[in-house]
Amino acid sequence: IGSSEIQDGGGPESFPILPGSHLNLSSPVLEFIKNVIVVLELDPDVDTEVQHLKKSLLAQIGVQEYSTQAKWQNPCACFILPDVFCSECQECRDVDLCILPPLDEEEDQESNAAWTCDDCGTPYNSEAIERRLVEVIQRKCVRYQLQDLRCVKTGQVSTRLLSRQSVTSQKLQLDISRKDLMSELQILNNLAHHYRLEWLHETTTDLLHTI
């Protein structure tokens, strides 16, 4: 890696917003290093060489080898919608909506945004998928609002109103955390934007600003 790439490696704006985007990425150089290293680490025969390479590359950009920054995370989230039915070949399968279908070189990702059947290549009914996603997130929000508080130690439901602690003086926690709900809402919002699902986009945008 040359000094010019390190100094002018871009910033958060260098990363495209895709349906599965869920990490706050800031350094293209760092992410490139982590992705190359995680692939090389698949071969145990060169593990020693890979670890030396990893240490050297991270040192060049001022990142410590064992810091949280150097830890690889999958940049693509996973949102699986079960039992998606294809009207052409009659197949029913679970579909990871965050994975983009492969395109030919002359195809444009934006103009050809659609989920397709793996067996016959027929586009799925996007309106039916959108309707199911709205129902999923509405049920999830109801569960979030009506959920109980539990003791972090015993897992028992708290029965004391307005209490900050359980009967064992331990902290109380939610079954569905706000962070998890917001993460799922953001993923669905990205999906709605990419696939032009106006109803889902409006629903998730409103919830992101109110929860």
Side-chain angles (χ1 to χ4, degrees):
I1 301 175
S3 58
S4 60
E5 285 81 1
I6 295 176
Q7 295 174 0
D8 188 22
E13 70 282 353
S14 302
F15 297 94
I17 302 300
L18 299 175
S21 300
H22 69 112
L23 301 177
N24 295 320
L25 305 177
S26 59
S27 172
V29 175
L30 175 60
E31 297 307 319
F32 175 76
I33 292 173
K34 291 194 295 185
N35 281 278
V36 170
I37 293 299
V38 78
V39 173
L40 295 177
E41 286 177 337
L42 296 175
D43 186 355
D45 294 334
V46 294
D47 182 68
T48 303
E49 292 82 353
V50 170
Q51 295 308 315
H52 285 308
L53 177 64
K54 177 181 178 180
K55 183 177 182 180
S56 174
L57 292 176
L58 291 175
Q60 290 186 51
I61 60 174
V63 176
Q64 295 184 356
E65 184 179 1
Y66 297 104
S67 67
T68 55
Q69 280 184 288
K71 183 179 179 180
W72 182 84
Q73 287 182 275
N74 192 339
C76 182
C78 177
F79 192 96
I80 297 177
L81 187 66
D83 302 328
V84 180
F85 179 74
C86 176
S87 58
E88 182 68 23
C89 66
Q90 313 300 312
E91 285 292 328
C92 186
R93 64 174 65 245
D94 298 345
V95 178
D96 188 347
L97 302 181
C98 292
I99 297 179
L100 295 175
L103 297 176
D104 296 332
E105 292 183 1
E106 61 272 10
E107 288 185 308
D108 176 62
Q109 189 69 259
E110 291 294 329
S111 60
N112 291 276
W115 293 288
T116 57
C117 176
D118 287 344
D119 288 332
C120 66
T122 302
Y124 287 119
N125 186 334
S126 59
E127 292 184 0
I129 291 179
E130 180 181 26
R131 182 168 59 252
R132 289 185 60 186
L133 291 176
V134 171
E135 291 174 355
V136 166
I137 202 60
Q138 287 177 341
R139 289 197 300 267
K140 189 71 169 284
C141 287
V142 171
R143 286 177 55 202
Y144 175 76
Q145 296 292 344
L146 300 180
Q147 66 182 317
D148 295 313
L149 288 170
R150 297 181 183 274
C151 173
V152 297
K153 182 178 181 180
T154 65
Q156 294 182 340
V157 175
S158 174
T159 57
R160 300 192 299 176
L161 297 177
L162 303 180
S163 175
R164 292 177 177 269
Q165 293 182 326
S166 67
V167 292
T168 58
S169 299
Q170 299 294 321
K171 291 183 179 180
L172 298 173
Q173 66 179 4
L174 297 169
D175 291 332
I176 304 173
S177 69
R178 182 178 183 274
K179 179 181 178 181
D180 291 340
L181 179 62
M182 293 294 285
S183 176
E184 189 167 319
L185 282 171
Q186 188 60 60
I187 292 171
L188 290 176
N189 188 264
N190 291 344
L191 286 170
H193 176 75
H194 184 82
Y195 291 100
R196 300 184 179 90
L197 306 177
E198 295 183 3
W199 182 20
L200 180 62
H201 188 270
E202 179 180 353
T203 301
T204 54
T205 300
D206 289 343
L207 290 171
L208 284 168
H209 286 89
T210 56
I211 292 180

